[in-house]
Amino acid sequence: LNTTAPGKLNAVETIAREMKFIRDMGAVFRRDAAAEKIIADTYARIDLIREKARDVEKPKVMILDLMSSIVVSYGRDKIAGDMAAAIGGDVPHTSAAVGMENIMEENPDVVFVVTYDEKEEEVAKIRENPAFRHLRFIQNNRLYPIPLKFVYGPQTRTIDAVGYMANRMYPGLFDFAAEYDFGVR
């Protein structure tokens, strides 16, 4: 229910929806307390990031996924965009498919590129594109890989995804571990 499918292309994806999914799974498996701990810890991390980054300039953020010759943007209405916005990122409302012109027009401060199997080939395609060499994210070396597990149905990994993004959106301000231990079994 919490992942994108062709029929849900225009559905707005939110952190709240991810947390509802966790709460529902807690009810199904009679692990309500564990689900509520996951939800509370996730929102506490988001609040901590917002508070600590309150006086820091908010970066314009784009999350891209390279699919053959198409570039997919996880804009403001997709879960990755909602997570970045929740921690202070300025995430544009983009269509699902964007072109080089859209990226150039937005001129983001930070770009995350979805990677598969921990490979960074997709990042290199963006980094080496001469059309982007004058954009802020290239000039300031703010192009980062982001694992697919953080942008597609992150569920309990939402806390890890916002930590991962915060570490890169606000360098030096955060040092979140790669994986959060909720301490629930």
Side-chain angles (χ1 to χ4, degrees):
L1 293 176
N2 69 322
T3 57
T4 301
K8 298 189 264 180
L9 180 64
N10 295 319
V12 175
E13 300 170 0
T14 64
I15 294 168
R17 190 168 103 171
E18 294 296 307
M19 297 304 106
K20 180 183 181 321
F21 180 81
I22 291 168
R23 184 171 283 121
D24 291 348
M25 290 296 101
V28 166
F29 293 104
R30 296 183 181 170
R31 300 294 309 267
D32 299 293
E36 292 305 321
K37 172 137 178 54
I38 291 167
I39 294 165
D41 287 3
T42 300
Y43 281 125
R45 176 171 283 185
I46 291 167
D47 291 344
L48 170 73
I49 295 167
R50 276 198 293 229
E51 177 60 29
K52 198 167 179 183
R54 182 184 57 219
D55 298 326
V56 177
E57 185 175 339
K58 305 305 178 224
K60 180 179 269 191
V61 178
M62 289 187 83
I63 301 107
L64 306 175
D65 192 346
L66 307 181
M67 297 185 165
S68 64
S69 61
I70 299 172
V71 178
V72 175
S73 173
Y74 291 83
R76 180 63 185 86
D77 294 331
K78 295 299 168 190
I79 185 61
D82 190 54
M83 288 186 292
I87 60 171
D90 174 12
V91 182
H93 289 274
T94 57
S95 61
V98 296
M100 289 192 321
E101 301 81 15
N102 301 104
I103 299 166
M104 292 167 60
E105 181 180 311
E106 291 296 338
N107 192 13
D109 300 301
V110 175
V111 170
F112 292 102
V113 178
V114 177
T115 57
Y116 302 83
D117 300 323
E118 306 303 319
K119 296 179 182 172
E120 293 192 29
E121 296 166 6
E122 294 85 0
V123 176
K125 289 176 186 174
I126 297 288
R127 184 182 296 110
E128 296 166 6
N129 188 324
F132 300 144
R133 70 175 167 244
H134 298 295
L135 299 181
R136 288 188 300 262
F137 74 96
I138 293 293
Q139 289 184 341
N140 297 319
N141 200 27
R142 307 284 311 274
L143 174 64
Y144 306 105
I146 188 165
L148 178 66
K149 66 184 179 183
F150 289 161
V151 300
Y152 185 78
Q155 303 150 8
T156 59
R157 293 181 301 268
T158 301
I159 195 169
D160 298 327
V162 295
Y164 183 92
M165 289 178 175
N167 286 347
R168 286 145 185 87
M169 288 168 56
Y170 308 108
L173 200 56
F174 299 102
D175 187 23
F176 291 113
E179 292 188 14
Y180 185 82
D181 181 4
F182 292 102
V184 297
R185 303 284 176 246

